[in-house]
Coordinates of all heavy atoms in Angstrom, one line a residue:
M1 N 15.6 4.3 4.5 CA 14.2 4.1 4.7 C 13.5 4.1 3.4 O 13.4 5.2 2.8 CB 13.7 5.1 5.7 CG 12.2 4.8 6.1 SD 11.8 5.3 7.7 CE 11.7 7.0 7.7
H2 N 13.0 3.0 2.9 CA 12.4 3.0 1.6 C 11.0 3.6 1.5 O 10.5 3.9 0.5 CB 12.5 1.6 0.9 CG 11.5 0.6 1.3 ND1 11.2 0.4 2.6 CD2 10.7 -0.1 0.6 CE1 10.3 -0.5 2.7 NE2 9.9 -0.9 1.5
E3 N 10.4 3.8 2.7 CA 9.1 4.5 2.7 C 9.2 5.9 2.2 O 8.2 6.4 1.6 CB 8.5 4.5 4.1 CG 7.8 3.3 4.6 CD 8.7 2.2 5.1 OE1 10.0 2.4 5.1 OE2 8.2 1.1 5.4
L4 N 10.3 6.5 2.4 CA 10.5 7.9 1.9 C 10.4 7.9 0.4 O 9.7 8.8 -0.2 CB 11.8 8.5 2.4 CG 12.0 9.9 2.1 CD1 10.9 10.8 2.8 CD2 13.4 10.4 2.7
A5 N 11.1 7.0 -0.3 CA 11.1 7.0 -1.8 C 9.7 6.7 -2.3 O 9.2 7.3 -3.2 CB 12.1 6.0 -2.3
I6 N 9.0 5.8 -1.6 CA 7.7 5.4 -2.0 C 6.7 6.6 -1.8 O 6.0 6.9 -2.7 CB 7.2 4.2 -1.1 CG1 8.0 2.9 -1.4 CG2 5.7 4.0 -1.3 CD1 7.8 1.8 -0.4
T7 N 6.9 7.3 -0.7 CA 6.0 8.4 -0.4 C 6.2 9.5 -1.5 O 5.3 10.1 -2.0 CB 6.2 9.0 1.0 OG1 6.3 7.9 1.9 CG2 5.1 9.9 1.3
E8 N 7.5 9.7 -1.8 CA 7.8 10.7 -2.8 C 7.1 10.4 -4.1 O 6.6 11.3 -4.8 CB 9.3 10.8 -3.0 CG 10.0 11.7 -2.0 CD 11.5 11.6 -2.0 OE1 12.1 10.8 -2.8 OE2 12.1 12.4 -1.3
S9 N 7.1 9.1 -4.5 CA 6.5 8.8 -5.8 C 5.0 8.9 -5.7 O 4.3 9.2 -6.7 CB 7.0 7.4 -6.3 OG 6.5 6.4 -5.4
I10 N 4.4 8.6 -4.5 CA 3.0 8.8 -4.3 C 2.6 10.3 -4.5 O 1.7 10.6 -5.2 CB 2.5 8.3 -3.0 CG1 2.6 6.8 -2.9 CG2 1.1 8.7 -2.7 CD1 2.4 6.2 -1.5
V11 N 3.4 11.1 -3.8 CA 3.1 12.6 -3.8 C 3.2 13.1 -5.3 O 2.3 13.8 -5.8 CB 4.0 13.3 -2.9 CG1 3.9 14.8 -3.1 CG2 3.7 13.0 -1.4
E12 N 4.3 12.6 -6.0 CA 4.5 13.0 -7.3 C 3.3 12.6 -8.2 O 2.8 13.4 -9.1 CB 5.7 12.4 -7.9 CG 6.9 13.4 -7.9 CD 8.2 12.6 -8.3 OE1 8.1 11.8 -9.2 OE2 9.2 12.9 -7.7
S13 N 2.9 11.4 -8.1 CA 1.9 10.9 -9.0 C 0.5 11.5 -8.7 O -0.2 11.8 -9.6 CB 1.8 9.3 -8.9 OG 0.7 8.9 -8.3
V14 N 0.2 11.8 -7.4 CA -1.0 12.5 -7.1 C -1.0 14.0 -7.6 O -1.9 14.4 -8.3 CB -1.3 12.5 -5.6 CG1 -2.5 13.5 -5.3 CG2 -1.6 11.1 -5.1
E15 N 0.2 14.6 -7.4 CA 0.3 16.0 -7.9 C 0.1 16.0 -9.4 O -0.5 17.0 -10.0 CB 1.7 16.5 -7.6 CG 1.8 17.2 -6.3 CD 3.1 18.0 -6.1 OE1 4.1 17.5 -6.4 OE2 2.9 19.2 -5.8
G16 N 0.6 15.0 -10.1 CA 0.4 15.0 -11.6 C -1.0 14.8 -12.0 O -1.3 15.1 -13.2
R17 N -1.8 14.3 -11.1 CA -3.2 14.0 -11.5 C -4.2 15.1 -11.2 O -5.2 15.2 -11.8 CB -3.7 12.7 -10.9 CG -3.1 11.5 -11.4 CD -3.8 10.3 -10.8 NE -2.9 9.2 -10.6 CZ -3.2 8.0 -10.2 NH1 -4.5 7.8 -9.8 NH2 -2.4 7.1 -10.0
V18 N -3.9 15.9 -10.1 CA -4.9 16.8 -9.6 C -4.8 18.2 -10.2 O -5.7 19.0 -10.0 CB -4.9 16.9 -8.0 CG1 -5.2 15.6 -7.4 CG2 -3.6 17.5 -7.6
H19 N -3.8 18.4 -11.0 CA -3.7 19.7 -11.8 C -3.8 20.9 -10.8 O -4.5 21.8 -11.1 CB -4.7 19.8 -12.9 CG -4.6 18.6 -13.8 ND1 -3.6 18.3 -14.6 CD2 -5.6 17.6 -14.0 CE1 -3.8 17.2 -15.3 NE2 -5.0 16.8 -14.9
G20 N -3.1 20.9 -9.7 CA -3.0 22.0 -8.8 C -4.2 22.2 -7.8 O -4.2 23.1 -7.0
A21 N -5.1 21.3 -7.9 CA -6.2 21.4 -6.9 C -5.7 21.0 -5.5 O -4.8 20.2 -5.4 CB -7.4 20.4 -7.3
K22 N -6.3 21.5 -4.5 CA -5.9 21.2 -3.2 C -6.5 19.8 -2.8 O -7.7 19.5 -2.9 CB -6.5 22.3 -2.2 CG -6.2 22.1 -0.8 CD -5.2 23.0 -0.2 CE -4.9 22.8 1.3 NZ -4.0 21.7 1.6
V23 N -5.6 19.0 -2.3 CA -6.0 17.6 -1.9 C -6.4 17.6 -0.4 O -5.7 18.0 0.4 CB -4.8 16.7 -2.2 CG1 -5.2 15.3 -1.7 CG2 -4.4 16.7 -3.7
L24 N -7.6 17.0 -0.2 CA -8.1 16.8 1.1 C -7.8 15.5 1.7 O -7.5 15.3 2.9 CB -9.6 17.0 1.1 CG -10.2 18.3 0.8 CD1 -11.8 18.2 0.8 CD2 -9.8 19.4 1.8
R25 N -7.8 14.5 0.9 CA -7.6 13.1 1.4 C -7.0 12.2 0.3 O -7.4 12.3 -0.8 CB -9.0 12.6 1.8 CG -9.1 11.2 2.4 CD -10.5 10.8 2.8 NE -11.1 11.8 3.7 CZ -10.9 11.6 5.0 NH1 -10.2 10.7 5.6 NH2 -11.5 12.5 5.9
V26 N -6.2 11.3 0.8 CA -5.6 10.4 -0.1 C -5.8 9.0 0.5 O -5.5 8.8 1.7 CB -4.1 10.6 -0.3 CG1 -3.5 9.5 -1.3 CG2 -3.8 12.0 -0.9
A27 N -6.4 8.1 -0.3 CA -6.6 6.7 0.3 C -5.6 5.8 -0.4 O -5.6 5.7 -1.7 CB -8.0 6.3 0.0
L28 N -4.9 5.0 0.4 CA -3.9 4.1 -0.2 C -4.3 2.6 0.2 O -4.9 2.4 1.2 CB -2.6 4.4 0.4 CG -1.9 5.7 0.2 CD1 -0.6 5.8 0.9 CD2 -1.8 6.0 -1.3
E29 N -3.9 1.7 -0.6 CA -4.1 0.3 -0.3 C -2.7 -0.3 -0.2 O -1.9 -0.2 -1.2 CB -4.9 -0.3 -1.4 CG -5.3 -1.7 -1.1 CD -6.2 -2.3 -2.2 OE1 -7.0 -1.5 -2.8 OE2 -6.0 -3.4 -2.6
I30 N -2.4 -0.8 0.9 CA -1.0 -1.4 1.1 C -1.1 -2.9 1.5 O -1.8 -3.2 2.5 CB -0.2 -0.6 2.2 CG1 -0.1 0.9 1.8 CG2 1.1 -1.3 2.5 CD1 0.6 1.7 2.8
G31 N -0.5 -3.7 0.7 CA -0.5 -5.1 1.0 C 0.4 -5.4 2.2 O 1.4 -4.8 2.4
K32 N -0.1 -6.3 3.1 CA 0.6 -6.6 4.3 C 2.0 -7.2 4.0 O 2.9 -7.2 4.9 CB -0.2 -7.7 5.1 CG -1.3 -7.0 5.9 CD -1.5 -7.7 7.2 CE -2.3 -6.8 8.2 NZ -3.7 -7.0 8.1
L33 N 2.2 -7.7 2.8 CA 3.5 -8.3 2.5 C 4.4 -7.4 1.7 O 5.4 -7.8 1.2 CB 3.3 -9.6 1.7 CG 2.3 -10.7 2.3 CD1 2.2 -11.9 1.5 CD2 2.8 -11.1 3.7
S34 N 3.9 -6.2 1.5 CA 4.7 -5.3 0.6 C 5.9 -4.8 1.4 O 6.8 -4.2 0.7 CB 3.8 -4.1 0.2 OG 3.5 -3.3 1.4
G35 N 6.0 -5.0 2.7 CA 7.2 -4.5 3.4 C 7.1 -3.0 3.8 O 8.0 -2.5 4.4
V36 N 6.0 -2.4 3.4 CA 5.8 -1.0 3.7 C 5.1 -0.9 5.1 O 4.1 -1.5 5.4 CB 4.9 -0.3 2.7 CG1 4.7 1.2 3.1 CG2 5.6 -0.4 1.3
V37 N 5.7 -0.1 6.0 CA 5.2 0.1 7.3 C 4.3 1.4 7.3 O 4.7 2.5 7.0 CB 6.3 0.4 8.3 CG1 5.7 0.5 9.8 CG2 7.3 -0.8 8.3
P38 N 2.9 1.2 7.5 CA 2.0 2.3 7.4 C 2.4 3.5 8.2 O 2.3 4.6 7.8 CB 0.7 1.7 7.8 CG 0.8 0.2 7.5 CD 2.2 -0.1 7.7
D39 N 2.8 3.3 9.5 CA 3.2 4.4 10.3 C 4.4 5.2 9.8 O 4.4 6.4 9.8 CB 3.5 3.9 11.7 CG 2.3 3.6 12.5 OD1 1.2 3.9 12.0 OD2 2.4 3.0 13.6
A40 N 5.3 4.5 9.2 CA 6.5 5.1 8.6 C 6.0 5.9 7.4 O 6.5 7.1 7.1 CB 7.5 4.1 8.2
L41 N 5.1 5.4 6.6 CA 4.6 6.0 5.4 C 3.9 7.3 5.8 O 4.0 8.3 5.2 CB 3.7 5.1 4.7 CG 3.4 5.4 3.3 CD1 4.6 5.2 2.4 CD2 2.3 4.6 2.7
R42 N 3.1 7.3 6.9 CA 2.4 8.5 7.4 C 3.4 9.6 7.7 O 3.1 10.7 7.4 CB 1.6 8.1 8.6 CG 0.2 7.6 8.4 CD -0.5 7.3 9.7 NE -1.4 6.2 9.5 CZ -2.6 6.3 8.9 NH1 -2.9 7.5 8.4 NH2 -3.4 5.3 8.7
A43 N 4.4 9.2 8.5 CA 5.4 10.2 8.9 C 6.1 10.8 7.6 O 6.3 12.0 7.6 CB 6.4 9.5 9.8
C44 N 6.4 10.0 6.7 CA 7.1 10.5 5.4 C 6.1 11.3 4.6 O 6.5 12.3 4.0 CB 7.5 9.3 4.6 SG 8.8 8.3 5.3
F45 N 4.8 11.0 4.7 CA 3.8 11.7 3.9 C 3.7 13.1 4.4 O 3.7 14.1 3.6 CB 2.5 11.0 4.0 CG 1.4 11.7 3.3 CD1 1.3 11.6 1.9 CD2 0.4 12.5 3.9 CE1 0.3 12.2 1.2 CE2 -0.6 13.2 3.2 CZ -0.6 13.0 1.8
E46 N 3.7 13.3 5.7 CA 3.7 14.7 6.3 C 4.8 15.5 5.8 O 4.7 16.7 5.5 CB 3.7 14.6 7.8 CG 2.3 14.4 8.3 CD 2.2 14.4 9.9 OE1 3.0 15.2 10.5 OE2 1.3 13.7 10.4
L47 N 6.0 14.9 5.8 CA 7.2 15.6 5.3 C 7.1 15.9 3.8 O 7.4 17.1 3.4 CB 8.5 14.7 5.5 CG 9.0 14.6 6.9 CD1 10.2 13.6 6.9 CD2 9.5 16.0 7.4
C48 N 6.8 14.9 3.0 CA 6.8 15.1 1.6 C 5.7 16.0 1.1 O 5.8 16.6 0.1 CB 6.6 13.7 0.9 SG 8.0 12.6 1.1
A49 N 4.6 16.0 1.9 CA 3.4 16.8 1.4 C 3.6 18.3 1.7 O 2.9 19.1 1.1 CB 2.1 16.3 2.1
E50 N 4.5 18.6 2.6 CA 4.7 20.0 3.0 C 5.1 20.8 1.8 O 5.9 20.5 1.0 CB 5.9 20.0 4.0 CG 5.6 21.0 5.1 CD 6.8 21.0 6.1 OE1 6.8 20.1 7.0 OE2 7.7 21.8 6.0
G51 N 4.4 21.9 1.6 CA 4.6 22.8 0.5 C 4.0 22.4 -0.8 O 4.3 23.0 -1.8
T52 N 3.3 21.3 -0.8 CA 2.6 20.8 -2.0 C 1.1 21.0 -1.9 O 0.6 21.4 -0.8 CB 2.9 19.3 -2.3 OG1 2.1 18.5 -1.4 CG2 4.3 19.0 -2.2
V53 N 0.3 20.6 -2.9 CA -1.1 20.7 -2.8 C -1.7 19.7 -1.8 O -2.8 19.7 -1.5 CB -1.8 20.4 -4.2 CG1 -1.5 21.6 -5.2 CG2 -1.3 19.1 -4.8
M54 N -0.8 18.8 -1.4 CA -1.2 17.8 -0.4 C -1.0 18.1 1.0 O -1.2 17.3 1.9 CB -0.6 16.5 -0.8 CG -0.9 16.0 -2.2 SD 0.1 14.7 -2.7 CE -0.7 13.3 -1.8
E55 N -0.4 19.3 1.3 CA -0.1 19.7 2.6 C -1.4 19.6 3.5 O -2.4 20.2 3.1 CB 0.5 21.1 2.7 CG 1.1 21.4 4.1 CD 1.9 22.7 4.1 OE1 2.5 23.0 3.1 OE2 2.0 23.2 5.2
G56 N -1.3 18.9 4.6 CA -2.5 18.9 5.5 C -3.5 17.8 5.1 O -4.5 17.7 5.8
A57 N -3.3 17.2 4.0 CA -4.3 16.2 3.5 C -4.3 15.0 4.5 O -3.3 14.6 5.1 CB -4.0 15.7 2.1
A58 N -5.5 14.4 4.6 CA -5.6 13.2 5.4 C -5.1 12.0 4.6 O -5.3 11.9 3.4 CB -7.0 12.9 5.9
L59 N -4.5 11.0 5.3 CA -4.0 9.8 4.6 C -4.7 8.6 5.2 O -4.6 8.3 6.4 CB -2.5 9.7 4.9 CG -1.7 8.7 4.1 CD1 -1.8 8.9 2.6 CD2 -0.3 8.6 4.5
D60 N -5.5 8.0 4.3 CA -6.2 6.7 4.7 C -5.4 5.6 4.2 O -5.2 5.5 3.0 CB -7.6 6.7 4.1 CG -8.6 7.6 4.8 OD1 -8.2 8.1 5.9 OD2 -9.6 7.9 4.2
I61 N -5.1 4.7 5.1 CA -4.3 3.5 4.6 C -5.1 2.2 4.9 O -5.5 2.0 6.1 CB -2.9 3.4 5.3 CG1 -2.1 4.6 4.9 CG2 -2.2 2.1 4.9 CD1 -0.7 4.6 5.6
E62 N -5.4 1.5 3.9 CA -6.1 0.2 4.1 C -5.1 -0.9 3.8 O -4.5 -0.9 2.8 CB -7.3 0.1 3.1 CG -8.1 -1.1 3.5 CD -9.2 -1.4 2.4 OE1 -9.8 -0.4 1.9 OE2 -9.4 -2.5 2.1
E63 N -4.9 -1.8 4.8 CA -4.0 -2.9 4.6 C -4.7 -4.1 4.1 O -5.7 -4.5 4.6 CB -3.3 -3.2 5.9 CG -2.3 -2.2 6.4 CD -1.6 -2.7 7.6 OE1 -2.1 -2.4 8.7 OE2 -0.6 -3.4 7.5
T64 N -4.2 -4.6 3.0 CA -4.8 -5.8 2.4 C -4.0 -7.1 2.8 O -2.8 -7.0 2.8 CB -4.9 -5.7 0.9 OG1 -3.6 -5.4 0.4 CG2 -5.9 -4.7 0.4
P65 N -4.7 -8.1 3.2 CA -4.0 -9.3 3.7 C -3.3 -10.0 2.5 O -3.7 -9.9 1.4 CB -5.1 -10.2 4.3 CG -6.4 -9.7 3.7 CD -6.2 -8.3 3.3
G66 N -2.3 -10.8 2.8 CA -1.7 -11.6 1.8 C -2.4 -12.9 1.6 O -2.9 -13.5 2.5
R67 N -2.5 -13.3 0.3 CA -3.2 -14.5 -0.1 C -2.3 -15.2 -1.1 O -1.7 -14.6 -1.9 CB -4.6 -14.3 -0.6 CG -5.6 -13.7 0.4 CD -7.0 -14.0 -0.1 NE -7.3 -15.4 0.0 CZ -7.6 -16.1 1.1 NH1 -7.6 -15.5 2.3 NH2 -7.9 -17.4 1.1
A68 N -2.3 -16.5 -1.0 CA -1.6 -17.3 -2.0 C -2.4 -18.6 -2.3 O -3.3 -19.0 -1.6 CB -0.2 -17.7 -1.5
R69 N -2.0 -19.1 -3.5 CA -2.6 -20.4 -3.9 C -1.5 -21.5 -3.9 O -0.4 -21.2 -4.3 CB -3.2 -20.3 -5.3 CG -4.0 -21.5 -5.7 CD -4.6 -21.3 -7.1 NE -3.6 -21.0 -8.1 CZ -2.8 -21.9 -8.6 NH1 -2.9 -23.2 -8.3 NH2 -1.9 -21.6 -9.5
C70 N -1.8 -22.6 -3.3 CA -0.9 -23.7 -3.2 C -0.8 -24.4 -4.6 O -1.9 -24.8 -5.2 CB -1.3 -24.7 -2.2 SG -0.2 -26.1 -2.1
R71 N 0.4 -24.5 -5.2 CA 0.5 -25.1 -6.5 C 0.3 -26.6 -6.4 O 0.2 -27.3 -7.4 CB 1.8 -24.8 -7.1 CG 2.0 -23.3 -7.6 CD 3.2 -23.1 -8.4 NE 3.4 -21.7 -8.8 CZ 4.2 -20.8 -8.2 NH1 4.9 -21.2 -7.2 NH2 4.2 -19.6 -8.6
D72 N 0.4 -27.2 -5.2 CA 0.4 -28.6 -5.1 C -1.1 -29.1 -4.8 O -1.5 -30.1 -5.5 CB 1.3 -29.1 -4.0 CG 2.8 -29.0 -4.4 OD1 3.0 -29.1 -5.6 OD2 3.6 -28.7 -3.5
C73 N -1.8 -28.4 -3.9 CA -3.1 -28.9 -3.6 C -4.2 -27.9 -4.0 O -5.4 -28.2 -3.8 CB -3.3 -29.3 -2.1 SG -3.3 -27.8 -1.0
D74 N -3.8 -26.8 -4.5 CA -4.8 -25.8 -5.0 C -5.6 -25.1 -3.9 O -6.5 -24.4 -4.2 CB -5.8 -26.4 -6.0 CG -6.1 -25.5 -7.2 OD1 -5.2 -24.7 -7.5 OD2 -7.2 -25.5 -7.7
A75 N -5.2 -25.2 -2.7 CA -5.9 -24.5 -1.6 C -5.4 -23.1 -1.6 O -4.4 -22.7 -2.1 CB -5.5 -25.2 -0.3
Q76 N -6.3 -22.2 -1.1 CA -5.9 -20.8 -0.9 C -5.5 -20.6 0.6 O -6.1 -21.1 1.5 CB -7.1 -19.9 -1.2 CG -7.4 -19.8 -2.7 CD -7.8 -18.5 -3.1 OE1 -7.8 -17.5 -2.4 NE2 -8.0 -18.3 -4.4
V77 N -4.4 -20.0 0.7 CA -3.8 -19.8 2.0 C -3.6 -18.3 2.4 O -3.3 -17.5 1.5 CB -2.3 -20.5 2.0 CG1 -1.7 -20.5 3.4 CG2 -2.4 -21.8 1.4
E78 N -3.9 -18.0 3.6 CA -3.7 -16.6 4.0 C -2.2 -16.5 4.5 O -1.7 -17.3 5.2 CB -4.6 -16.2 5.2 CG -4.4 -14.8 5.6 CD -5.6 -14.2 6.3 OE1 -6.7 -14.8 6.2 OE2 -5.4 -13.1 6.9
L79 N -1.5 -15.5 4.0 CA -0.1 -15.3 4.3 C 0.0 -14.2 5.3 O -0.5 -13.1 5.1 CB 0.7 -14.9 3.1 CG 0.6 -15.9 1.9 CD1 1.5 -15.3 0.8 CD2 1.2 -17.2 2.3
L80 N 0.7 -14.5 6.4 CA 1.0 -13.4 7.4 C 2.3 -12.8 7.2 O 2.6 -11.7 7.6 CB 0.9 -14.0 8.8 CG -0.5 -14.6 9.2 CD1 -0.6 -15.2 10.5 CD2 -1.6 -13.5 9.1
D81 N 3.2 -13.6 6.6 CA 4.5 -13.0 6.1 C 4.9 -13.8 4.9 O 4.2 -14.6 4.4 CB 5.6 -13.1 7.3 CG 5.7 -14.5 7.8 OD1 6.0 -15.4 6.9 OD2 5.6 -14.7 9.0
T82 N 6.1 -13.4 4.4 CA 6.4 -14.0 3.1 C 6.9 -15.4 3.2 O 7.0 -16.1 2.1 CB 7.5 -13.1 2.4 OG1 8.5 -12.8 3.3 CG2 6.9 -11.8 1.8
I83 N 7.2 -15.9 4.4 CA 7.6 -17.2 4.5 C 6.4 -18.0 5.0 O 5.9 -17.8 6.1 CB 8.7 -17.4 5.6 CG1 9.9 -16.5 5.2 CG2 9.2 -18.8 5.7 CD1 10.8 -16.1 6.3
A84 N 5.8 -18.8 4.1 CA 4.6 -19.4 4.5 C 4.5 -20.8 4.0 O 5.2 -21.2 3.0 CB 3.4 -18.6 3.9
L85 N 3.7 -21.6 4.6 CA 3.5 -23.0 4.2 C 2.0 -23.2 4.0 O 1.2 -22.7 4.8 CB 4.0 -24.0 5.2 CG 5.5 -24.3 5.3 CD1 5.8 -25.2 6.4 CD2 6.0 -24.8 4.0
C86 N 1.6 -24.1 3.1 CA 0.2 -24.5 3.0 C 0.0 -25.6 4.1 O 1.0 -26.3 4.5 CB 0.1 -25.2 1.6 SG -1.5 -25.9 1.3
P87 N -1.2 -25.7 4.5 CA -1.5 -26.8 5.5 C -1.1 -28.2 5.0 O -0.9 -29.0 5.8 CB -3.0 -26.7 5.7 CG -3.4 -25.3 5.4 CD -2.4 -24.8 4.3
C88 N -1.0 -28.3 3.7 CA -0.6 -29.6 3.2 C 0.9 -29.9 3.3 O 1.4 -30.9 3.0 CB -1.0 -29.8 1.7 SG 0.0 -28.9 0.5
G89 N 1.6 -28.8 3.7 CA 3.0 -29.0 3.9 C 3.9 -28.4 2.8 O 5.1 -28.3 2.9
S90 N 3.2 -28.0 1.7 CA 3.9 -27.5 0.6 C 4.3 -26.0 0.8 O 3.6 -25.2 1.3 CB 3.1 -27.6 -0.7 OG 3.7 -26.9 -1.7
A91 N 5.5 -25.7 0.3 CA 5.9 -24.3 0.3 C 5.8 -23.7 -1.1 O 6.3 -22.6 -1.4 CB 7.3 -24.2 0.8
N92 N 5.2 -24.5 -2.0 CA 5.1 -24.1 -3.4 C 3.9 -23.3 -3.6 O 2.9 -23.7 -4.2 CB 5.1 -25.4 -4.3 CG 5.3 -25.1 -5.7 OD1 5.6 -24.0 -6.1 ND2 5.1 -26.2 -6.5
L93 N 4.0 -22.0 -3.2 CA 2.8 -21.1 -3.2 C 3.0 -20.0 -4.2 O 4.0 -19.5 -4.4 CB 2.7 -20.5 -1.8 CG 2.5 -21.4 -0.6 CD1 2.5 -20.6 0.7 CD2 1.2 -22.2 -0.8
A94 N 1.8 -19.7 -4.9 CA 1.8 -18.6 -5.8 C 1.1 -17.5 -5.2 O -0.1 -17.6 -4.8 CB 1.1 -19.0 -7.1
M95 N 1.8 -16.4 -5.0 CA 1.2 -15.2 -4.3 C 0.1 -14.6 -5.2 O 0.2 -14.3 -6.3 CB 2.2 -14.2 -4.0 CG 1.8 -13.3 -2.9 SD 3.0 -12.0 -2.5 CE 4.2 -12.9 -1.6
L96 N -1.1 -14.4 -4.5 CA -2.2 -13.8 -5.2 C -2.4 -12.3 -4.9 O -2.7 -11.5 -5.7 CB -3.5 -14.5 -4.9 CG -3.6 -16.0 -5.2 CD1 -4.9 -16.6 -4.7 CD2 -3.5 -16.2 -6.7
S97 N -2.2 -12.0 -3.6 CA -2.3 -10.6 -3.2 C -1.4 -10.4 -1.9 O -1.0 -11.3 -1.3 CB -3.7 -10.2 -2.9 OG -4.2 -10.9 -1.8
G98 N -1.3 -9.1 -1.6 CA -0.5 -8.8 -0.4 C 0.7 -7.9 -0.7 O 1.3 -7.4 0.2
N99 N 1.0 -7.8 -2.0 CA 2.1 -7.0 -2.4 C 1.7 -5.6 -2.9 O 2.6 -4.9 -3.4 CB 2.9 -7.7 -3.5 CG 4.2 -8.2 -3.0 OD1 4.8 -7.6 -2.1 ND2 4.6 -9.4 -3.5
E100 N 0.5 -5.3 -2.9 CA -0.1 -4.1 -3.5 C 0.5 -2.8 -2.8 O 0.7 -2.8 -1.6 CB -1.6 -4.0 -3.4 CG -2.4 -5.1 -4.0 CD -2.5 -6.3 -3.1 OE1 -1.9 -6.3 -2.0 OE2 -3.2 -7.2 -3.5
L101 N 0.6 -1.8 -3.6 CA 0.8 -0.5 -3.1 C 0.1 0.4 -4.1 O 0.6 0.7 -5.2 CB 2.3 -0.1 -3.0 CG 2.5 1.3 -2.4 CD1 2.0 1.5 -1.1 CD2 4.0 1.6 -2.4
K102 N -1.1 0.8 -3.8 CA -2.0 1.4 -4.8 C -2.6 2.7 -4.2 O -2.9 2.7 -3.0 CB -3.1 0.5 -5.2 CG -2.7 -0.6 -6.1 CD -3.9 -1.2 -6.8 CE -4.5 -2.3 -5.8 NZ -5.4 -3.3 -6.5
I103 N -2.8 3.7 -5.0 CA -3.6 4.8 -4.6 C -5.0 4.5 -5.0 O -5.3 4.3 -6.2 CB -3.1 6.1 -5.4 CG1 -1.6 6.4 -5.1 CG2 -4.0 7.3 -5.0 CD1 -1.1 7.5 -5.9
R104 N -5.9 4.4 -4.0 CA -7.3 4.0 -4.3 C -8.1 5.2 -4.7 O -8.9 5.1 -5.6 CB -7.9 3.4 -3.0 CG -7.2 2.1 -2.6 CD -8.0 1.4 -1.6 NE -9.3 1.1 -2.1 CZ -10.2 0.3 -1.5 NH1 -9.9 -0.1 -0.3 NH2 -11.3 0.0 -2.0
S105 N -7.9 6.3 -4.0 CA -8.7 7.5 -4.4 C -8.0 8.7 -3.8 O -7.2 8.7 -2.9 CB -10.1 7.4 -3.9 OG -10.1 7.4 -2.5
V106 N -8.3 9.8 -4.5 CA -7.8 11.1 -4.1 C -9.0 12.1 -4.0 O -9.8 12.2 -5.0 CB -6.8 11.7 -5.1 CG1 -6.3 13.0 -4.7 CG2 -5.6 10.7 -5.1
E107 N -9.2 12.8 -2.9 CA -10.3 13.7 -2.8 C -9.7 15.1 -2.8 O -8.8 15.5 -2.1 CB -10.9 13.4 -1.4 CG -12.4 13.9 -1.3 CD -12.9 13.6 0.1 OE1 -12.8 12.4 0.6 OE2 -13.3 14.5 0.8
V108 N -10.3 15.9 -3.7 CA -9.8 17.3 -3.9 C -10.9 18.3 -3.5 O -12.1 17.9 -3.4 CB -9.3 17.6 -5.3 CG1 -8.1 16.8 -5.6 CG2 -10.4 17.4 -6.3
V109 N -10.5 19.5 -3.3 CA -11.5 20.5 -3.0 C -12.5 20.8 -4.1 O -12.0 20.9 -5.3 CB -10.8 21.9 -2.5 CG1 -11.9 23.0 -2.3 CG2 -10.0 21.6 -1.3
Ligands
ZN1 ZN1 -1.2 -27.2 -0.4

């Protein structure tokens, strides 16, 4: 389960920033095309946060939609999964967003 490795790196990077302060809330931005399942991430977060400054912290997850630009007709297309076509029929798409996995904010005591 790759969510576990991702969560571990999130917990590590937050711990490195808060210098021992107790964390109340962590807000994440996850692209719909990143392959990360928010529910799985939540479950892993509870496990990984145990015994750290993040234990009991709330986890806010905002999912960002996938967007791409068609290299043939220059239209912007919303991507629901990684296999997508432009309405013009082209599959020559440049992904603009949807792959993010970012820590947006961390709230400490
Ligand atoms: Zn197109």
Side-chain angles (χ1 to χ4, degrees):
M1 187 150 68
H2 78 311
E3 276 83 2
L4 188 58
I6 292 166
T7 313
E8 278 170 352
S9 67
I10 291 170
V11 169
E12 261 173 40
S13 107
V14 172
E15 272 195 306
R17 288 189 213 181
V18 298
H19 307 293
K22 175 108 179 86
V23 175
L24 293 178
R25 183 180 299 275
V26 179
L28 301 177
E29 189 176 322
I30 297 178
K32 281 215 160 89
L33 306 180
S34 65
V36 176
V37 182
D39 283 349
L41 198 69
R42 276 180 206 286
C44 293
F45 180 77
E46 276 183 32
L47 284 176
C48 292
E50 223 178 274
T52 75
V53 292
M54 299 169 79
E55 188 170 337
L59 189 62
D60 287 346
I61 296 179
E62 188 188 320
E63 284 185 274
T64 49
R67 296 201 66 80
R69 189 178 56 78
C70 177
R71 288 191 181 99
D72 289 329
C73 74
D74 218 32
Q76 289 219 2
V77 187
E78 182 159 344
L79 302 179
L80 299 175
D81 56 54
T82 46
I83 304 157
L85 281 179
C86 177
C88 78
S90 170
N92 192 7
L93 300 175
M95 199 183 283
L96 301 174
S97 68
N99 252 328
E100 302 81 357
L101 180 62
K102 285 192 275 196
I103 300 171
R104 296 192 62 172
S105 64
V106 177
E107 200 180 307
V108 295
V109 175

